[in-house]
Amino acid sequence: MVSRFPDPIRLGLARGWNVHGGPHGPVPERLSCDVAIVGSGAGGGITAELLARAGLSVVIVEEGPLRSSSDFRQLESEAYPALYQESAARKTADKAITILQGRCVGGSTTVNWTSSFRTPAPTLAYWREHFGLDGMDPDALAPWFEQVERRLGIDAWLMPPNENNDLLRRGADKLGIRTGEIRRNVRGCWNLGSCGMGCPTNAKQSMLVTTIPAALDAGARLLVQTRAQRLQLQADRVEALECVAVGPDGSASGVATRITARHYVLAGGAINTPALLLRSGAPDPHRRTGLRTFLHPVVISAAVFDDPVEGWKGAPQTIYSDHFLETQPLDGPIGYKLEAPPLHPIIFSTTLPGFGRAQADLLSRFPNTQALLALLRDGFHAESPGGQVRLREDGSPLLDYPLSPFVLEGARRALLSMAEIQFAAGARSVLPVHELAQSCSTWEQARAMIDTLPMQPLLTRVVSAHVMGGCGMAGDAQRGVVGPDGVHWQLANLSVHDGSLFPTSIGANPQLSIYGIVNRLAAGLRQRLGAPATALA
């Protein structure tokens, strides 16, 4: 299939970008640079552009492939194996939570649903009080957010919401529940609805089409299908980064590369970044590395309506409600954010319960099905301490995330809230996504059933696309892995610039939080490395 749109990646390669790995030729055995960046997603992309445009020599190491709009054909069967960790089937240790994470140039920004929220003020206040992050307040961060919002086209979405999202708005309105509109990082969006499979029109302003091309135009080098395997350490510094070539499926080929740099930035995401530190034996005197990893555990409610919903059409997420966050204190019963996810057949069928005839019946009503999801705000209460990244025998990462009774009781309240909203919007039936749930035809019936469901791991279907924490920042080494400047407390030439920085979950879709906070951290790093001031293009 030939794209009708100019492909900025193919154009860049044609004009001489320095890209190696996979189909782009072997990676050199030895490389040296000012800054080596592991990961090309939200944190790695922002950092790479700022530092490369300041004249520093930058090498970006990306485990996934370089794919572009010419490859994005709006097909789940192609997108998930090519663009996601473990083919969009990464799971926690007990298999109770499925995790969607990008694994490609641009990382999760290439495949996310464009939802853009600044870090909520209550979250920042909690960080200041409990983690000594005195500079983390809305006024101090505002200029950094404004820069990335201009750079990435983050603004109000002016198109009407699709029916999937508008049903959330209409149902909430009938119950007196406030909703809002979600800002999106798009320019010239065609409203196709396939954001999770890569944008075929280059409208989504992901790192794939913004900061990574800008960094490459400024002379950065990009290594794709290259895994950061281990950091070589000496005393309080990193001496080198050892990498290995991998195939499209992630299997190592044995071809090794050694990168030496003045400074190293880890931005591989909040499972892979802690894992790299653990594999490397990085100093961890307070046993913080990999701890307090958060997911915004997500539970889902599906509803069938008389009229078609066609949840695969149009911008995927444009309406939200924070009512159930704002009415819960941070340290009280777990709160949750409501959104309406896009619906596509593979994700739909693998997430909903049932099999055989029962699942066939569900799929037969797919065009008339609407879904709501609840993002549970973990990390603010003693009974939601998150999970822990650890290593398998082969050194690959594994997240152990126990679903506590505290979190699962929040899931029950969320299922009740979503069902009530869906019935208020006119649903003919509602099915909470739980292995023992039945489709209900009235709100009273649904409420009675949800109240008695056993809220247990594996019975309660839980998913996540927001991995945070594991290398939390704090004002002292006892409470965090890195300091307020993003620099590792024990390794002077190593920084962390991704969602693993967050000492709790965000309580909102995290991409803009990563963009804004990393923008400030990268500017500070540029200054410490003696490079001239620059800003995002």
Side-chain angles (χ1 to χ4, degrees):
M1 178 179 179
V2 178
S3 173
R4 71 183 72 179
F5 301 97
D7 185 330
I9 302 305
R10 293 191 177 184
L11 292 173
L13 291 169
R15 63 176 179 266
W17 279 352
N18 197 335
V19 179
H20 298 277
H24 308 282
V27 176
E29 293 184 5
R30 296 286 187 273
L31 285 170
S32 62
C33 57
D34 291 316
V35 183
I37 301 172
V38 177
S40 62
I46 293 290
T47 302
E49 178 179 342
L50 276 173
L51 300 187
R53 293 186 64 246
L56 294 167
S57 60
V58 171
V59 173
I60 307 160
V61 180
E62 170 55 54
E63 180 179 305
L66 176 58
R67 299 294 175 89
S68 63
S69 54
S70 298
D71 305 304
F72 301 153
R73 303 196 303 158
Q74 301 176 279
L75 295 174
E76 292 179 280
S77 59
E78 294 178 356
Y80 301 152
L83 305 176
Y84 285 79
Q85 292 283 354
E86 301 175 38
S87 298
R90 174 171 268 187
K91 294 185 183 296
T92 51
D94 62 359
K95 308 295 191 290
I97 307 175
T98 300
I99 302 169
L100 300 179
Q101 276 188 303
R103 181 181 170 272
C104 55
V105 174
S108 292
T109 75
T110 299
V111 294
N112 69 22
W113 299 336
T114 76
S115 303
S116 301
F117 297 89
R118 292 190 185 186
T119 315
T123 298
L124 295 174
Y126 190 92
W127 293 358
R128 295 194 300 273
E129 178 181 356
H130 293 273
F131 295 94
L133 296 172
D134 296 336
M136 288 288 175
D137 64 79
D139 289 341
L141 289 172
W144 306 101
F145 280 125
E146 290 165 1
Q147 286 181 16
V148 295
E149 286 162 353
R150 287 193 300 270
R151 174 70 175 96
L152 303 176
I154 295 173
D155 208 341
W157 177 239
L158 301 179
M159 295 278 290
N162 67 4
E163 182 70 359
N164 194 47
N165 280 266
D166 203 47
L167 285 166
L168 167 58
R169 182 190 61 79
R170 300 200 307 263
D173 283 352
K174 287 189 177 181
L175 297 173
I177 293 172
R178 185 181 65 83
T179 60
E181 297 177 352
I182 301 176
R183 294 190 301 161
R184 307 181 64 220
N185 59 315
V186 295
R187 287 190 171 99
C189 177
W190 281 47
N191 209 24
L192 297 175
S194 58
C195 305
M197 293 169 254
C199 180
T201 68
N202 299 307
K204 177 164 53 174
Q205 300 298 285
S206 67
M207 302 300 93
L208 175 67
V209 299
T210 57
T211 59
I212 296 299
L216 292 169
D217 282 336
R221 288 169 284 182
L222 173 63
L223 312 182
V224 301
Q225 295 179 215
T226 303
R227 178 179 297 139
Q229 194 71 19
R230 186 173 291 103
L231 299 162
Q232 292 183 0
L233 308 177
Q234 181 64 41
D236 67 342
R237 298 186 67 80
V238 179
E239 284 198 331
L241 172 65
E242 298 176 0
C243 302
V244 62
V246 298
D249 62 354
S251 58
S253 71
V255 179
T257 296
R258 187 175 190 270
I259 302 172
T260 56
R262 293 168 58 194
H263 200 90
Y264 299 81
V265 174
L266 305 188
I271 289 179
N272 293 335
T273 287
L276 177 56
L277 291 172
L278 292 170
R279 280 198 302 273
S280 305
D284 188 18
H286 305 288
R287 301 178 67 84
R288 306 295 300 181
T289 304
L291 284 179
R292 293 185 61 80
T293 301
F294 304 105
L295 289 176
H296 284 157
V298 168
V299 291
I300 301 167
S301 182
V304 175
F305 288 79
D306 289 328
D307 295 325
V309 177
E310 299 179 331
W312 60 87
K313 290 184 177 180
Q317 288 185 162
T318 55
I319 301 294
Y320 75 99
S321 177
D322 279 349
H323 173 82
F324 301 98
L325 293 177
E326 295 166 348
T327 54
Q328 295 291 352
L330 283 172
D331 57 357
I334 196 165
Y336 42 91
K337 186 185 198 80
L338 298 185
E339 296 174 342
L343 299 180
H344 298 282
I346 291 178
I347 288 291
F348 180 82
S349 60
T350 57
T351 301
L352 264 66
F355 56 90
R357 171 55 59 188
Q359 188 174 77
D361 290 343
L362 285 173
L363 288 169
S364 72
R365 297 189 292 272
F366 181 56
N368 290 63
T369 299
Q370 190 256 2
L372 292 180
L373 60 76
L375 304 167
L376 300 175
R377 182 176 58 188
D378 49 346
F380 295 87
H381 190 281
E383 294 181 54
S384 66
Q388 179 177 3
V389 175
R390 51 187 176 85
L391 300 177
R392 298 184 178 93
E393 290 185 1
D394 63 358
S396 62
L398 182 66
L399 175 60
D400 187 9
Y401 191 107
L403 286 166
S404 69
F406 174 84
V407 172
L408 287 169
E409 192 53 38
R412 185 194 305 278
R413 290 186 290 108
L415 291 175
L416 286 165
S417 300
M418 292 186 288
E420 185 174 17
I421 288 171
Q422 288 169 321
F423 278 117
R428 185 171 69 197
S429 63
V430 170
L431 175 65
V433 180
H434 185 287
E435 286 296 326
L436 302 183
Q438 300 294 319
S439 183
C440 299
S441 58
T442 68
W443 160 231
E444 291 74 20
Q445 182 186 8
R447 179 171 57 192
M449 182 190 66
I450 295 169
D451 279 339
T452 61
L453 286 174
M455 302 303 289
Q456 298 172 10
L458 299 174
L459 290 180
T460 310
R461 287 289 184 99
V462 182
V463 299
S464 176
H466 301 162
V467 190
M468 300 153 283
C471 295
M473 55 183 169
D476 57 75
Q478 288 74 29
R479 289 182 285 180
V481 175
V482 302
D485 58 0
V487 178
H488 195 280
W489 278 111
Q490 287 80 37
L491 297 169
N493 65 335
L494 176 74
S495 294
V496 174
H497 284 189
D498 61 17
S500 61
L501 287 163
F502 301 151
T504 65
S505 75
I506 293 294
N509 308 61
Q511 73 159 344
L512 180 50
S513 290
I514 299 172
Y515 292 147
I517 291 171
V518 167
N519 187 21
R520 182 166 80 165
L521 298 182
L525 175 59
R526 173 199 53 73
Q527 185 176 21
R528 292 192 299 275
L529 292 174
T534 187
L536 296 168

